Amino acid sequence: MEFTILGLTSLRIGVIRHHLGARKQRALLALLLLHAKRSVPVETMIGILWPDHDPDRHRGNLQSLVSRIRRVLGNAGVDFALSNEGDAYRLDLDLRLVDYHRFLKMADSGRAEAAAGNHPEAKRVLTEAIGLWRGRPLADLPGEWAAKRRDFMEENDLLHAYHALFQTGIHLREYAEVLRELRPLLDRHPYDDALAGLWMTALDGLGDRHAAIAFYSQFRRRLTGEFGTDPSTELDRLHQRLLTKYTVDPGPTSRPAPDTRTYRFPREVSAFAGRSAQLDRLDSFLAASHAPQGMPLVTLHGMPGVGKTELAVHWAHRRRADFPDGMVLLDMGGHGGGEPVTPDNAISLLLGRLGIPPHRIPAEPDRRAAVLGRVLADRRTLLVLDNVRDAGQVRPLLDSTSAAFMLLTSRDRLRSLAIRDGAHTVAVPELTTDESLDLLRSTIKDERSPRDDAGLLELARLCGGLPLALKITGRHVADRPRETPGQLADQLKAHRDLLFRHEDDESISLRSVFSWSYQALSTDTARVFRTLGLLPGTRLGSEAVAALTGLTSTVATKHLDALAHVNLLDHDVVDRYRMHDLLHDYAATCAAETDPDEERNVAVERLLTWYAVTCSAVSRQLSPQSPPVPELPDVGVSPLSFASDQAAMEWCAQERANLVAATKLASANGFHDQAWRIPAGVQEVFERSGYHDDLLASHEWALESAHAVGDVEARLGTLNNLGVMYLNVQRLDDALRHLRQGLDLARSWGHEEGEAVCLHNVGRAHFGRGEIDVALEYYRQALAINKRLGGGEGEAFGHHGIGLAHLSLGNLAEAKANFAEALRLRVEINHVRGQGTTLTALAELHHDNGELDEALDYCRRALDAHRESGDRKETCHALAVLARIEFDLGDFRGAYERASHAAELAHELNDVHTQARSLHLLGHIDIASGRTRHAVIRWQQALSLYTSIDAPERLAVQEHLEALHYDGLA
């Protein structure tokens, strides 16, 4: 039995295709199958099936279609449940019956096989997965939403699977086959750097290096001509290797370059004038960066709206050739509606924008800083930290970013950075009269400006030399071709005198221009502009604005584009916008003066509710087996849905600052039900991404709100979450304080499930402190409760934790018995990922006990489970264990292959301990094979890694190196 949505919607049982009804019915079924095991709001389904129609008109039609689908599936003998959940429908069936969900599972499995070095199996699985695509996905679904979803599925899910397949083909040296299959994809995706790199590698593999070099030149011209950007750093380095025919193995000290394709530097400023003196100074600092003292630290300071960010972006684009390894801009949020970015979060954000995947970003701040330092070392990179509040916000970053050219913008002069840290300061003043005229003319872009110099001069004077005011004014003039600049200058002066005749303030020029442009907006667009002032941040997407205003996303986008047209808003990355914080403040003032308090409160509540329910959708996507965040009643808004974990992660990355600010806004303004749900929903994704400061701050506000509403479950869950977060960053005392509070609360309210969770995590905290006996007692208490409640997953966690504790104490028989019970439970509840973890622990136990054949069997079974679940971190751990087993069995070749794979994967995952242990073992293999010099290099690297995490194994490695030195071999 198979449902198809990768093409026309169909159901095949054996060789028989079942009729699924008319196209609208098939479209609804495809939508439910796409979101199988997840609720789909009625409003969402109606909006997709009957776009641009009143939703209430089609509720009856939708119910009729649902009844027909139930009848069709029931007659076909499908094991399913199609249930009504509030104002939503949910289709429950085996995901393996749906081709798209089976494809996702197989693609993950194929990538795991490739990561484990099993390329023939990876090729087989990936080929079979891609073969499930029989046409354009969701072919029966109409409209714009379906078109966007189809594009996403093809350009992300399918294309990424092809990337993995072709990489596997290259490992198998099947270059001709790769080229044959790659050609049509390159035609459809002519600007894809990854496909271009695979094409060049395959050509070189066939011995046609010159064709690969020629292709690079064509690709670079095409990319530059279309987008004005250069190929990625990775592609540039491949080109350089081909030019020099670089074939020497760089050895175990090599590291991958950051892939800056994941982050696009802001586009070049459309209209720019003047600043020659400031540009010359920046050029002089760049020239000096080639001197022995290294890269400089430069600050641009000036009043709001004076154009500091535009100057930084303009200079960066002029000098991008001097930064071949990437340019990154990070808004530090020093001024504006949101929370300033903390130094630790800034490091996580910089690592992400430099192409480091979330799973490679450590939880511990010191290790995060060390990773950033290693990524930037020996590379020429530009880091622009925009909108810095004060020196204290950036000083903790300076050591880890010393290898990069650092350019800061701030309203503050940052004098202490100049005094203590040697920063070069550059003042950014208002534009001169001539520069202001140039900027006005370049913005207006018509033939009127040269004929009315007096009018333009008056407009420039009224704008006070501020680029933000000049651009808004220039757009105002350009949109009114029947009026001369002089007439418009008279209007602006009259408007200014009317509003600000009694004020004497440097910001009058800006506010008068803002008001003049605002008054010219249509009624509906002006309302949208005012509501933007209610947003918690200044970077926004159309979906959030739609929730805030009560409009559809399509209509909201039209108004946002209209605001961008008159420079009251700027386009940011794709489908997103950014608003200057002064305009954000002005919009908030307009809203307070114009709109009733009740109307504004309703809009804010609608936005916060949308954030809360969308965060819950993120949680369901990433952790479908975990208890869901309790739903809000009668939400009245439709959350976003996510087709993959990656889509959910990307949305959270874009909305990170807004989610933190929204939590604070909700807690401070009495929207407590939303305040604790927002961080609860995104806890896992923020953990994966390393935003620990954001999580801690959000959960502290959430805890206040949970207390305010008296919701015991909310307080308990938030206290446990806070404890786990402190565990992750090794703040064990803070972790124990919150977990014990949660434990007391659970006991006082008789919440046994919460009590068991808190007990287990208290045990983890004591285990982390090395207090194994204490941890063991807490694990036992948690296990007893879970046994009484019949929670299979909780019981399995308990037995596994007890097994680890006994293993640490040397009680191998007790450890073995508990691991065996944990494995039995995880098999019973089909928790494949957990099975793999316990199988690996059993392999280690038998290895330590000298039972090598049993250890080998458990380890191979563990790898099978990890490949099925796609757990790369546990795959890495199991490979390292397997390498040690094979070494002790005398299989040096097998041990070398496994340890090499483990070291490479551990480096990618930033698993320092596993990487060090693998290098340690590789050194022993080198000694056994007579490669003493290689062993010295491996052990020196292992020693450095062990020392960085204060691991006791460093003492053994020191002894190895000292012994070789004593024998004259080192």
Side-chain angles (χ1 to χ4, degrees):
M1 179 182 294
E2 181 188 57
F3 285 96
T4 297
I5 60 174
L6 297 176
L8 292 170
T9 313
S10 67
L11 168 60
R12 180 179 52 79
I13 302 177
V15 296
I16 300 174
R17 287 190 178 273
H18 285 255
H19 180 63
L20 297 175
R23 181 176 179 183
K24 192 72 76 175
Q25 185 171 315
R26 298 197 308 272
L28 176 58
L29 178 57
L31 188 61
L32 291 167
L33 290 168
L34 177 68
H35 298 93
K37 292 187 177 292
R38 299 201 301 273
S39 298
V40 186
V42 167
E43 185 177 347
T44 298
M45 291 188 283
I46 292 175
I48 292 169
L49 295 173
W50 294 279
D52 302 322
H53 287 76
D54 181 5
D56 291 332
R57 286 178 50 200
H58 291 286
R59 285 182 175 269
N61 296 338
L62 182 69
Q63 291 170 358
S64 177
L65 290 176
V66 169
S67 297
R68 292 178 203 162
I69 289 172
R70 286 193 179 115
R71 188 163 53 251
V72 167
L73 298 187
N75 292 338
V78 179
D79 184 11
F80 78 104
L82 179 48
S83 55
N84 185 290
E85 294 188 347
D87 199 24
Y89 286 97
R90 173 185 172 118
L91 176 60
D92 282 291
L93 46 62
D94 189 343
L95 292 179
R96 290 172 296 183
L97 299 178
V98 185
D99 58 355
Y100 175 62
H101 296 295
R102 196 160 75 256
F103 160 82
L104 293 176
K105 185 76 172 177
M106 294 175 69
D108 285 343
S109 178
R111 283 188 281 266
E113 292 286 357
N118 191 357
H119 295 291
E121 180 63 9
K123 178 187 175 183
R124 185 193 68 77
V125 174
L126 289 165
T127 301
E128 185 177 344
I130 291 169
L132 294 172
W133 290 66
R134 301 176 179 90
R136 292 218 74 191
L138 309 176
D140 285 314
L141 273 167
E144 180 183 355
W145 181 92
K148 288 183 177 180
R149 178 52 63 94
R150 275 192 285 273
D151 289 343
F152 177 88
M153 293 166 73
E154 290 179 334
E155 295 179 12
N156 288 270
D157 301 328
L158 180 59
L159 192 58
H160 289 170
Y162 269 118
H163 288 166
L165 175 63
F166 295 144
Q167 193 66 58
T168 291
I170 286 170
H171 275 286
L172 295 172
R173 301 187 179 184
E174 297 172 346
Y175 304 117
E177 182 178 341
V178 169
L179 291 171
R180 185 170 60 252
E181 298 291 332
L182 189 52
R183 180 72 269 175
L185 273 177
L186 260 179
D187 291 340
R188 292 201 299 272
H189 304 279
Y191 307 109
D192 189 291
D193 288 31
L195 293 178
L198 290 164
W199 182 265
M200 293 165 62
T201 304
L203 283 173
D204 182 53
L206 284 176
D208 200 348
R209 180 168 63 95
H210 297 293
I213 293 170
F215 173 85
Y216 173 86
S217 300
Q218 296 167 4
F219 180 81
R220 188 177 188 280
R221 284 196 299 271
R222 190 162 62 240
L223 195 64
T224 304
E226 183 68 21
F227 300 106
T229 60
D230 292 325
S232 67
T233 301
E234 192 69 21
L235 200 63
D236 275 338
R237 292 190 170 170
L238 172 59
H239 178 235
Q240 289 300 317
R241 287 199 298 273
L242 292 173
L243 287 174
T244 57
K245 198 53 184 175
Y246 180 63
T247 57
V248 179
D249 180 7
T253 59
S254 66
R255 60 179 179 271
D259 182 0
T260 53
R261 287 176 298 166
T262 57
Y263 173 74
R264 294 294 186 189
F265 196 77
R267 68 184 74 180
E268 171 65 290
V269 180
S270 57
F272 188 88
R275 308 298 192 199
S276 57
Q278 289 77 22
L279 292 169
D280 288 345
R281 286 201 70 193
L282 290 173
D283 286 344
S284 70
F285 298 138
L286 178 62
S289 71
H290 296 280
Q293 59 265 36
M295 289 291 194
L297 171 64
V298 182
T299 69
L300 302 176
H301 66 86
M303 68 174 286
V306 81
K308 302 179 291 294
T309 303
E310 288 189 351
L311 172 59
V313 170
H314 179 73
W315 180 78
H317 279 283
R318 286 202 339 168
R319 295 300 179 191
R320 67 180 306 129
D322 292 285
F323 303 105
D325 297 308
M327 305 191 304
V328 170
L329 182 143
L330 177 61
D331 183 357
M332 297 294 289
H335 301 276
E339 288 292 300
V341 177
T342 66
D344 285 341
N345 278 345
I347 291 174
S348 294
L349 290 164
L350 287 171
L351 286 169
R353 295 183 180 189
L354 286 164
I356 305 303
H359 56 258
R360 287 182 54 199
I361 299 176
E364 299 85 349
D366 290 345
R367 288 183 58 207
R368 255 182 279 166
V371 171
L372 180 60
R374 291 199 299 270
V375 167
L376 293 173
D378 303 321
R379 300 187 174 103
R380 289 191 66 83
T381 307
L382 171 66
L383 301 182
V384 180
L385 301 189
D386 188 35
N387 193 16
V388 172
R389 174 179 286 275
D390 51 36
Q393 191 184 20
V394 295
R395 181 167 284 115
L397 307 178
L398 299 184
D399 286 344
S400 56
T401 56
S402 60
F405 190 116
M406 287 276 283
L407 184 56
L408 316 181
T409 75
S410 180
R411 298 177 189 179
D412 189 275
R413 292 179 180 272
L414 305 176
R415 285 193 179 95
S416 66
L417 287 182
I419 296 169
R420 291 174 50 186
D421 304 287
H424 305 280
T425 61
V426 178
V428 183
E430 297 90 334
L431 293 175
T432 65
T433 300
D434 287 343
E435 291 171 340
S436 297
L437 287 170
D438 288 343
L439 185 54
L440 271 176
R441 289 189 176 103
S442 64
T443 305
I444 297 170
K445 295 178 182 175
D446 69 8
E447 299 300 322
R448 293 175 297 158
S449 52
R451 297 198 299 269
D452 192 0
D453 285 342
L456 284 178
L457 190 62
E458 180 64 7
L459 284 172
R461 185 187 69 79
L462 291 169
C463 291
L466 299 176
L468 180 59
L470 288 161
K471 287 187 175 184
I472 293 173
T473 298
R475 189 70 260 166
H476 197 90
V477 174
D479 287 344
R480 289 155 181 79
R482 295 183 181 276
E483 298 175 87
T484 67
Q487 292 170 329
L488 292 168
D490 290 340
Q491 293 177 20
L492 175 57
K493 187 175 185 301
H495 187 82
R496 170 180 168 146
D497 291 343
L498 177 65
L499 292 178
F500 307 114
R501 67 178 62 184
H502 301 300
E503 298 185 35
D504 181 18
D505 187 272
E506 62 182 0
S507 66
I508 287 178
S509 295
L510 277 173
R511 288 187 289 152
S512 58
V513 169
F514 293 169
S515 176
W516 193 40
S517 292
Y518 165 67
Q519 296 293 337
L521 297 173
S522 70
T523 302
D524 290 341
T525 302
R527 173 181 170 269
V528 171
F529 174 77
R530 293 195 303 274
T531 59
L532 297 185
L534 306 178
L535 287 167
T538 56
R539 280 176 158 78
L540 49 124
S542 59
E543 296 92 349
V545 175
L548 179 70
T549 58
L551 302 170
T552 66
S553 180
T554 301
V555 174
T557 299
K558 290 178 181 177
H559 290 298
L560 294 173
D561 287 339
L563 292 170
H565 175 75
V566 295
N567 287 324
L568 292 176
L569 204 61
D570 287 320
H571 288 285
D572 200 6
V573 296
V574 178
D575 295 330
R576 292 185 67 80
Y577 305 82
R578 66 180 183 273
M579 193 178 202
H580 196 286
D581 57 357
L582 295 177
L583 279 165
H584 185 264
D585 292 344
Y586 177 73
T589 300
C590 290
E593 293 173 349
T594 306
D595 302 320
D597 290 349
E598 183 179 354
E599 184 177 320
R600 284 182 284 124
N601 285 335
V602 168
V604 170
E605 183 176 16
R606 197 165 48 230
L607 172 71
L608 295 173
T609 300
W610 178 81
Y611 271 128
V613 295
T614 299
C615 289
S616 294
V618 169
S619 178
R620 289 193 299 272
Q621 175 66 41
L622 296 177
S623 305
Q625 293 179 332
S626 299
V629 178
E631 294 185 1
L632 279 167
D634 303 324
V635 295
V637 294
S638 298
L640 293 179
S641 59
F642 303 100
S644 65
D645 286 9
Q646 184 62 31
M649 298 271 290
E650 287 175 358
W651 180 80
C652 288
Q654 290 178 331
E655 291 285 350
R656 180 202 61 80
N658 290 335
L659 292 170
V660 177
T663 303
K664 183 179 182 181
L665 177 69
S667 183
N669 289 277
F671 299 108
H672 299 300
D673 287 326
Q674 291 87 345
W676 70 264
R677 283 176 169 87
I678 292 172
V682 296
Q683 179 185 358
E684 178 163 342
V685 67
F686 273 31
E687 276 192 60
R688 292 190 195 183
S689 302
Y691 304 146
H692 300 285
D693 289 339
D694 286 341
L695 268 176
L696 291 170
S698 298
H699 274 78
E700 293 289 359
W701 296 320
L703 189 58
E704 292 176 9
S705 287
H707 277 288
V709 295
D711 189 321
V712 174
E713 190 171 1
R715 287 170 59 196
L716 178 55
T718 304
L719 283 166
N720 180 70
N721 288 348
L722 273 167
V724 170
M725 282 180 279
Y726 283 123
L727 275 177
N728 290 337
V729 296
Q730 298 299 303
R731 290 171 58 178
L732 300 180
D733 291 341
D734 289 323
L736 281 170
R737 177 167 54 86
H738 285 88
L739 290 168
R740 284 171 177 155
Q741 288 177 24
L743 182 58
D744 292 342
L745 181 64
R747 284 172 169 168
S748 66
W749 284 85
H751 197 301
E752 287 194 297
E753 184 179 357
E755 181 183 359
V757 171
C758 290
L759 282 167
H760 186 85
N761 286 325
V762 169
R764 288 179 57 198
H766 284 289
F767 192 92
R769 295 169 105 177
E771 299 163 356
I772 309 302
D773 287 323
V774 179
L776 186 57
E777 180 56 32
Y778 279 104
Y779 287 149
R780 285 170 172 160
Q781 291 180 44
L783 177 60
I785 295 174
N786 278 314
K787 282 187 173 181
R788 189 165 62 252
L789 295 176
E793 186 176 4
E795 287 185 61
F797 272 109
H799 280 294
H800 188 89
I802 291 171
L804 290 175
H806 279 300
L807 188 61
S808 296
L809 294 169
N811 303 330
L812 299 187
E814 289 287 342
K816 181 178 179 180
N818 278 279
F819 286 144
E821 181 61 12
L823 181 60
R824 185 191 68 78
L825 289 164
R826 284 170 164 170
V827 170
E828 187 176 283
I829 63 175
N830 196 31
H831 189 193
V832 177
R833 183 182 181 191
Q835 292 171 38
T837 303
T838 303
L839 285 165
T840 304
L842 281 163
E844 284 199 273
L845 183 150
H846 283 284
H847 173 259
D848 293 348
N849 206 31
E851 299 162 350
L852 300 183
D853 291 335
E854 291 88 342
L856 188 63
D857 178 63
Y858 277 117
C859 205
R860 286 173 174 166
R861 290 168 59 193
L863 281 168
D864 289 340
H866 296 323
R867 287 163 190 158
E868 183 177 348
S869 69
D871 192 324
R872 301 173 75 232
K873 186 170 184 178
E874 287 299 327
T875 296
C876 176
H877 185 195
L879 283 169
V881 173
L882 181 57
R884 296 201 300 274
I885 296 167
E886 289 176 329
F887 179 78
D888 287 347
L889 286 169
D891 181 4
F892 294 160
R893 182 182 182 86
Y896 184 86
E897 291 178 2
R898 306 290 183 263
S900 297
H901 283 309
E904 180 182 348
L905 189 55
H907 174 78
E908 184 182 339
L909 298 170
N910 204 46
D911 184 346
V912 176
H913 195 248
T914 302
Q915 185 184 3
R917 293 180 75 181
S918 300
L919 289 167
H920 190 171
L921 179 62
L922 284 168
H924 283 296
I925 298 170
D926 287 328
I927 290 291
S929 305
R931 298 190 297 268
T932 305
R933 292 182 61 189
H934 284 81
V936 171
I937 295 172
R938 308 279 193 189
W939 283 341
Q940 286 173 339
Q941 291 176 327
L943 178 59
S944 175
L945 292 169
Y946 280 142
T947 303
S948 72
I949 57 174
D950 198 26
E953 293 96 329
R954 70 184 186 280
L955 301 176
V957 179
Q958 285 175 336
E959 290 178 3
H960 300 335
L961 290 169
E962 288 169 3
L964 289 177
H965 182 75
Y966 181 81
D967 293 336
L969 299 173

